[in-house]
Amino acid sequence: YTLVIGDKNYSSWSLRPWLSLKACGVPFEEERIRLRMPESKTEIFKHSPSGKVPALKTHLGVMYDSLAILEFLAEHHPDAGLWPTDPASRAAARCVSAEMHAGFQALRIDMPMDLVSRFQMPKVSQTLANTIRRVIAVWMDTRRRFGHGGPLLFGGFTNADAMYAPVATRFRTYGVPLADYGDDGTAADYVDAIYAMPDMDEWLASADTEMRERELV
């Protein structure tokens, strides 16, 4: 496999399949394209027909959508447990993952991912407030119903955690007071659990290195 990604500091969509690939325990190459540069789009089109990252180069062709990549990995590496084995849990995991994939635009627009920075909360519109509440509700409900046996949404790591990990980073970057949006402590614990993952440590270290490189250019 070769995973084409954007900057690790900024590209939330790149983080998702990267985490799932790491969970598979299979070797893969990374090919990073710097974002927010005049040539970024041209460089991405060399690898991805959608003009977006990530893209996974496989023996079957190029997968160029994050959720499609996660489904591909789950299908081809079933021992990694990227979807829960229990049918009810698996259905719920797919639902919350699809909801993340298709929605929560206010988070993306008002609170873009920036791992190495710390910002004050932006002005919170009603749409953004409702979005934060919905994410927290998803986490609380999923942990309550399916999270036995581990600190993540379905206990151990699944594709659902890959989908929501970038949101956890946004909540830390912007210092979101989760209790103000209905958290009973579950969401705060989940953010901590995401940051406690060794693979997140590796990604964060690379993001920090990349940003230092940008400063030197």
Side-chain angles (χ1 to χ4, degrees), residues 66-216:
S66 289
L67 190 54
I69 294 171
L70 301 191
E71 289 283 8
F72 173 89
L73 294 174
E75 179 181 355
H76 288 270
H77 303 280
D79 292 343
L82 294 179
W83 294 125
T85 55
D86 171 68
S89 299
R90 187 164 61 252
R94 280 196 162 104
C95 280
V96 298
S97 297
E99 184 176 2
M100 180 71 254
H101 187 262
F104 303 122
Q105 289 296 324
L107 277 175
R108 299 189 180 110
I109 294 170
D110 296 340
M111 298 169 58
M113 191 168 94
D114 189 331
L115 293 176
V116 305
S117 301
R118 293 294 180 266
F119 300 119
Q120 290 186 337
M121 279 280 288
K123 183 178 180 180
V124 180
S125 66
Q126 191 61 54
T127 300
L128 179 58
N130 290 342
T131 299
I132 295 171
R133 290 191 187 97
R134 176 56 188 159
V135 169
I136 291 171
V138 167
W139 292 356
M140 289 172 56
D141 181 63
T142 304
R143 289 285 300 142
R144 177 182 60 80
R145 295 169 62 200
F146 305 108
H148 309 291
L152 300 177
L153 291 178
F154 292 85
F157 179 85
T158 68
N159 281 333
D161 299 299
M163 291 301 295
Y164 281 91
V167 180
T169 72
R170 285 173 163 93
F171 285 170
R172 185 161 290 187
T173 293
Y174 294 91
V176 179
L178 300 178
D180 292 354
Y181 297 91
D183 181 32
D184 62 1
T186 301
D189 289 345
Y190 180 64
V191 171
D192 290 341
I194 289 293
Y195 272 87
M197 293 168 52
D199 292 335
M200 277 298 299
D201 272 343
E202 181 180 342
W203 182 276
L204 288 163
S206 295
D208 185 67
T209 298
E210 288 175 2
M211 293 307 292
R212 293 178 187 275
E213 291 173 352
R214 275 184 177 259
E215 292 173 359
L216 295 174

